[in-house]
Amino acid sequence: MISIKKSLLVILLLAIQTVIAQEKATLSGTITDLGSNETLIGVNIIFPDLQTGTNTNEYGFYSISLPKGEYKVQISYLGYTTVTETISLSEDKVANYQLLESTESLNEVVIKQDVEKLNIKKPQMSVNALSINTIKQMPVVLGEVDVIKSITLLPGVTNAGEGSSGFNVRGGAVDQNLILLDEATIFNSSHLFGFFSVFNPDAIKDIKLYKGGIPAKYGGRVSSVLDIYQKDGNSNEFHMNGGIGIVSSRLLAEGPLKKGKGSFLLGGRSSYAHLFLPLFDIDNIAYFYDLNTKLSYRFNDNNNIFLSGYFGRDVFNIADSFENTYGNTVVNFRWNHLFSDKLFSNMSLIYSDYYYGLNLDFVEFEWDSGIQNFNFKYDLKHYINNNFKLEYGINSIYYKFNPGEIRPSTSTSGINRFKLTDKFAFENAIYIDAEHQISDRLALSYGIRFSSFLRLGQDELNVYENDNPINFNEELQIYEKVEAIATESFSRSDVIASFANVEPRFSLAYQLNDNSSVKASYNRMSQYLHLLSNTTSPTPLDVWTPSGKYVKPQLLDQVAVGYFRTFKDNLFSLEVESFYKVIQNRIDYTDGADLIANNAIEQVILNGRARAYGLEILFRKNEGRFKGWLAYTLSKSEQQTEGRTATETGINNGAWYNTPFDKTHDISLTGSYELNNKWTFSSNFIFQTGQPTTFPNAQYEYNGITIPNYEDRNSSRLPAYHRLDLSATYNPDPTSTKRWKGEWVFGIYNVYNRRNAASINFGENRNTGTNEATRLAIFGVIPSVSYNFKF
């Protein structure tokens, strides 16, 4: 009996010892830049002895739970000196780190670090991140650094060509991309009709593009999410930096509100080429300007607040008879709160506005349109343990849509005031996302988002017989508008239409060995807003409309699989992904649809579907004097709108046809070579299959008028697009200890002067009387020079 008791006592002591040995403590904190006190996103905190680690979130916070003991920790981040130290973890501990930039030059320095192995383990896929310093080194048109054009060098991302707005991801439309600046929605991402982007590169801290496997915290679009964060500002000392170029310049100032506690950031850009146009007797004017602002304040280790804003405008004037003004305005207040070392929260109050104005002096009227939204977000990240993390939150957005208003610009104008009916909507979502490390080899990410959309009451809503706003004329084989039989009026609190969708998200990673893994993902997403545009590239005149009685929300289902591998200790990396996606309720337009100032848009649209599938390959060289990547995409993007009955033809006779964003082959080769500490050379080469288009294939005369007949929709293509860009960056004194530092950037866009076709138009030659095709090309070869500085 005594021996049994002793045995039980020994077992109990061993159990207690095992529990104590496995007892864990939490290490958490914030990682910042030593010089500016700027929080750093995506810093790697690695424990080599345990073969585990974590990284910082969007606000520089990290948390990891480990068995109690003594460990070596490595803190590494691109462009910074790695910190290595030994910590003793006997209880929960807060450890804040400050990293020192590994160089004082303006160029990026890539340090060797064991980062990719963590990426290989993580289930996150179809995500691309670009350093803002990498973007600054890329050759660009007219020397103006462009975030949007830089991401088109990644696999699966294209645009409609030179001078086009926005970008297309995996065969999707421009309006299917959610673009966020400090969590605020940007509705138009381009300046001067697509020549430049709205993002000031000096104010940007982090850029991440999600093409698939999109986390549940994001919603509202069905193609991609471009998530951009601005810098917080230097809370230690005052600094300025900027650049002077041929057509535009920029200047950014940052400094402390209270040293070590609060900071401000103020950045501005403006183009000024229009100032020289009168010298050449040119009366036209085109320019842009924008302003980035941010205030940050840390009350204590548990509470931080941020107030950020963006204001941008474009002005286009033709001989003082036509003036076009448009742009974005966003304001965002955020509060970070740390409930514990394992629970981080962020609350955001956001206002976003997109405005479009037109003043036609020669006909004496003004036109205004736009979209406003008020957005509330509350997100929490819960670090349950080292193998299981949760993210959950809520999101509510109130929309006001102004489709357009015409007003007389003078008292003598013959134009009567006309207002298209304002529309209102309320979008809500709740989500939860889990990141789960099942074993050393298998990791999962799974979540769900429940979204709802309420189309609220408006002053007038058309009523149609049998709720059918569009008819098919069987004799003429065309779609025709149906006149409304009445109108209804509603109060703002009424709900005209409501939608609700469950959006599951799932991804997994299985590690084959230390250097390779396979991944798979599935996500469903809903989109309740639609951009009314029947051009290949959106224009400022295009307007947004909400889902409602006659317009259904778009629904996406996407699957992707991939293989990921690193070579030679991360010197090279390879990413291969294949995707397939289908979209329900994609809006299509009847032939000859008139979208401008249309108060009954339901009379010219039909609901169809779209699909896209492809293969993406990204091969990178990550380290050394020569760095760069080769991106290749083989893909197909199609759309189909069948007839609603057996007698209707639908669009394009109900057959699948190429979307305007279909690019069969897309190749991008990007590289930079650091010759020495003074000279760095960069280049881009791009080749894309020509954009789909529709050409006339015959003509006939009717009452003396020549009328063209067109082929099937998008059955032809423009010539293939390709160009080569070069740039050189010269730092005259890289070892200088002076406060002022500067560099020169020389560039040549389209080196061999390829005249890429933006469009091909057909008409009659007045001299010969024969029909002819005219190709419009926007850019030839363009040299540039700019000077960047900081002090």
Side-chain angles (χ1 to χ4, degrees), residues 407-470:
R407 299 186 305 271
S409 59
T410 66
S411 58
T412 58
S413 172
I415 301 294
N416 295 321
R417 182 183 179 276
F418 174 68
K419 178 78 172 70
L420 299 180
T421 305
D422 286 343
K423 301 178 177 69
F424 305 88
F426 195 34
E427 182 176 356
N428 299 283
I430 183 170
Y431 74 91
I432 185 168
D433 227 345
E435 188 176 323
H436 194 175
Q437 187 74 37
I438 302 294
S439 67
D440 289 340
R441 290 183 177 270
L442 180 63
L444 303 179
S445 177
Y446 47 90
I448 193 165
R449 182 183 181 92
F450 177 77
S451 64
S452 68
F453 190 81
L454 305 177
R455 177 70 179 272
L456 302 178
Q458 61 190 55
D459 294 340
E460 288 187 354
L461 181 70
N462 289 335
V463 178
Y464 300 92
E465 187 175 353
N466 299 322
D467 282 339
N468 182 25
I470 183 171

Side-chain angles (χ1 to χ4, degrees), residues 347-366:
M347 184 193 74
S348 299
L349 299 172
I350 306 167
Y351 169 77
S352 179
D353 170 78
Y354 174 67
Y355 166 80
Y356 176 85
L358 193 63
N359 188 348
L360 299 176
D361 286 341
F362 65 96
V363 288
E364 298 181 328
F365 80 82
E366 299 173 349

